[in-house]
Amino acid sequence: MEHVSRWEKDITDELLALENQSARRSLVLTENADQTWLTIEGQRMLNLASNNYLGLAGDERLKHAMIEAIQHYGVGSTSSRLIVGSHPLYDKAEKELIKWKHAEAGIIVNSGYVANVGVISALTGRDDVVFSDKLNHASIVDGIVLSRAKHRRYRHKNLNHLEALLQREPIEKRKLIVTDTVFSMDGDIADLKGLVELKERYNALLMVDEAHATGVYGENGTGYAEMEHLQSKVDIQMGTFSKALGSYGAYVVGEKWLIDYLINRMRSLIYTTALPPAVLGSIIKSIEIVQQAGKERQSLHDLTYYFRSELLRNGFNICSSETQIVPILVGENDRSIQFAKLLQQEGIAAIPVRPPTVPEKESRVRFTITSAQAREDINWALDRIIYVGKSLGVI
Ligand code: PMP
């Protein structure tokens, strides 16, 4: 018993310390998050917090695809993919994925987190080096830690720093460079051309995380690499179906040897139950829809450009955002919480983001825009953001 109470005391103290730093988190009951207006604890708010960039999470066509899949294939996948869980919808979805991404091979896995942790830890080990942008997503960091490879973090988007780190490693070492394309907390975009040049010069493998770019960039919505015509230069592309595509799960595409290897070595694919048929049904439909969503992509870009310009014009610091993810830099933790709370009272759902998700003293309130939002709603929100920003002295 004494042993248990020691654990309880330590953990309670740690939670208290988090509370004192305004860094303690809790779960909040949210209804209608798939819609442009949601309800948090009974209050209706404009949803500026979801990753539902093309408004597909509540789409009737996806709902029907899910229901149809359940009727044909049941609810559960019953086992991992390597046992008997690779139901026919996986095969169909992966064929569609490969066509859409113009890839040689591809695989669908349970989530973006699972993809990053699994791919990096399968490919690299103690003798390898992984070069990772300082602002890469936590799942990339966790993949590197799990791999036991040497972890070299380069300053955010700083290719001179990356090159200096690459030069320090022996030529014969296997090297992997990994980056988000759209960065999830700053809303800026990696210099993919520069990264391709470096990976070629130093004979490294390049992996990109297109979680926030899939569906949003490129003529067919396949991501930022497509938009830059660099798809064939990137060795490993991962992205998610859970954001712009409105569903759930993630993909990895690349050459056949890579995907064959992952099927043999990716522990987060091998040792977990396959996705339910319903999810695959909606993935197939969303791959079809997203390719025809040029109009929605354009409205999303127009709306986000307008939102960012208005914030800048009013004196907010939006970091270097150039996408649908728009942070307002606030600084201290309690100030970002206060900012978000006041916005919520005004009817706007936006989330405070604090360390360790972002660096110390760089707490922010993060807004995300979707194509489903109306210009009037954005104008209404801007008025309130400016009002709260002024009242807190943020501008
Ligand atoms: N990569 C990035 C850049 C992300 O932002 C996220 C999720 N927020 C993930 C990976 C993980 O994806 P998932 O939510 O599907 O696990």
Side-chain angles (χ1 to χ4, degrees):
M1 271 326 267
E2 201 158 297
H3 183 66
V4 171
S5 65
R6 162 89 195 281
W7 276 99
E8 188 176 346
K9 185 187 174 307
D10 287 355
I11 285 167
T12 311
D13 286 351
E14 195 174 328
L15 286 171
L16 204 62
L18 284 176
E19 197 152 316
N20 291 336
Q21 297 154 23
S22 301
R24 183 162 173 169
R25 296 159 196 245
S26 60
L27 298 171
V28 180
L29 192 66
T30 307
E31 291 169 57
N32 332 105
D34 62 332
Q35 295 165 25
T36 51
W37 289 82
L38 49 66
T39 307
I40 297 181
E41 291 174 341
Q43 199 194 335
R44 192 168 174 267
M45 297 180 207
L46 183 66
N47 186 353
L48 294 183
S50 87
N51 300 322
N52 186 20
Y53 301 132
L54 296 175
L56 289 175
D59 190 279
E60 289 302 320
R61 295 164 293 180
L62 295 192
K63 286 186 198 171
H64 284 132
M66 274 200 150
I67 293 163
E68 215 173 293
I70 291 172
Q71 278 161 353
H72 274 90
Y73 298 100
V75 173
S77 64
T78 78
S79 79
S80 72
R81 291 200 63 184
L82 283 156
I83 310 294
V84 291
S86 275
H87 44 83
L89 292 181
Y90 262 114
D91 187 48
K92 184 152 196 276
E94 284 166 351
K95 284 191 172 123
E96 294 303 323
L97 166 72
I98 291 164
K99 255 197 275 167
W100 173 48
K101 297 281 296 177
H102 302 292
E104 192 176 293
I107 190 152
I108 291 175
V109 298
N110 287 15
S111 72
Y113 187 93
V114 157
N116 282 335
V117 164
V119 169
I120 298 170
S121 62
L123 282 176
T124 64
R126 279 181 208 285
D127 296 332
D128 305 315
V129 194
V130 185
F131 302 85
S132 169
D133 189 291
K134 236 176 181 160
L135 295 191
N136 275 344
H137 191 256
S139 52
I140 292 176
V141 177
D142 291 0
I144 302 169
V145 171
L146 192 62
S147 76
R148 301 184 182 90
K150 195 169 178 186
H151 186 180
R152 286 284 168 259
R153 295 171 83 205
Y154 58 92
R155 290 194 277 279
H156 181 47
K157 290 177 61 174
N158 187 330
L159 298 193
N160 290 331
H161 188 213
L162 170 59
E163 181 155 26
L165 294 176
L166 281 161
Q167 277 169 348
R168 268 189 230 159
E169 297 301 329
I171 207 152
E172 66 281 2
K173 276 246 176 206
R174 294 200 314 186
K175 304 174 184 78
L176 170 70
I177 302 172
V178 56
T179 185
D180 290 4
T181 50
V182 170
F183 288 90
S184 59
M185 291 301 138
D186 282 44
D188 53 356
I189 304 180
D191 173 359
L192 205 50
K193 266 197 196 96
L195 287 166
V196 165
E197 272 172 37
L198 283 182
K199 86 120 200 168
E200 285 177 346
R201 197 172 314 146
Y202 291 89
N203 204 17
L205 221 54
L206 177 61
M207 172 172 176
V208 298
D209 177 336
E210 295 257 48
H212 294 277
T214 306
V216 174
Y217 288 101
E219 206 182 315
N220 295 315
T222 69
Y224 187 71
E226 178 205 331
M227 190 171 116
E228 293 290 292
H229 307 293
L230 291 170
Q231 269 171 306
S232 62
K233 305 275 186 184
V234 175
D235 304 288
I236 307 157
Q237 295 177 57
M238 73 70 71
T240 57
F241 299 111
S242 51
K243 297 180 170 71
L245 275 82
S247 178
Y248 189 73
Y251 64 80
V252 183
V253 298
E255 290 183 2
K256 192 170 174 306
W257 61 263
L258 170 77
I259 304 302
D260 284 348
Y261 186 73
L262 294 179
I263 292 168
N264 284 276
R265 286 282 186 262
M266 184 174 165
R267 295 170 67 86
S268 64
L269 165 74
I270 299 169
Y271 298 108
T272 193
T273 300
L275 286 167
V279 172
L280 273 303
S282 69
I283 288 175
I284 294 167
K285 196 68 190 171
S286 66
I287 292 176
E288 179 193 320
I289 293 173
V290 83
Q291 297 183 64
Q292 302 151 3
K295 219 172 89 214
E296 287 77 7
R297 266 188 285 286
Q298 194 53 52
S299 1
L300 175 64
H301 296 312
D302 292 347
L303 204 56
T304 61
Y305 178 79
Y306 175 69
F307 184 66
R308 290 192 312 265
S309 313
E310 286 300 300
L311 290 177
L312 282 171
R313 200 168 63 76
N314 282 282
F316 285 104
N317 179 346
I318 61 166
C319 302
S320 41
S321 168
E322 48 189 321
T323 64
Q324 73 281 7
I325 297 169
V326 187
I328 288 184
L329 197 69
V330 176
E332 300 296 334
N333 289 354
D334 43 2
R335 217 150 157 246
S336 68
I337 290 172
Q338 180 74 350
F339 196 169
K341 218 179 247 167
L342 289 174
L343 286 176
Q344 289 182 7
Q345 282 166 15
E346 292 288 320
I348 295 169
I351 49 159
V353 187
R354 295 157 281 171
T357 310
V358 293
E360 290 292 334
K361 309 249 182 270
E362 289 189 23
S363 287
R364 60 199 65 187
V365 177
R366 177 179 180 269
F367 301 85
T368 46
I369 305 291
T370 86
S371 64
Q373 271 141 2
R375 176 74 72 119
E376 310 86 77
D377 286 345
I378 294 297
N379 277 328
W380 175 88
L382 280 164
D383 285 346
R384 272 145 192 84
I385 294 167
I386 293 162
Y387 166 73
V388 172
K390 279 186 181 152
S391 71
L392 275 181
V394 173
I395 47 170

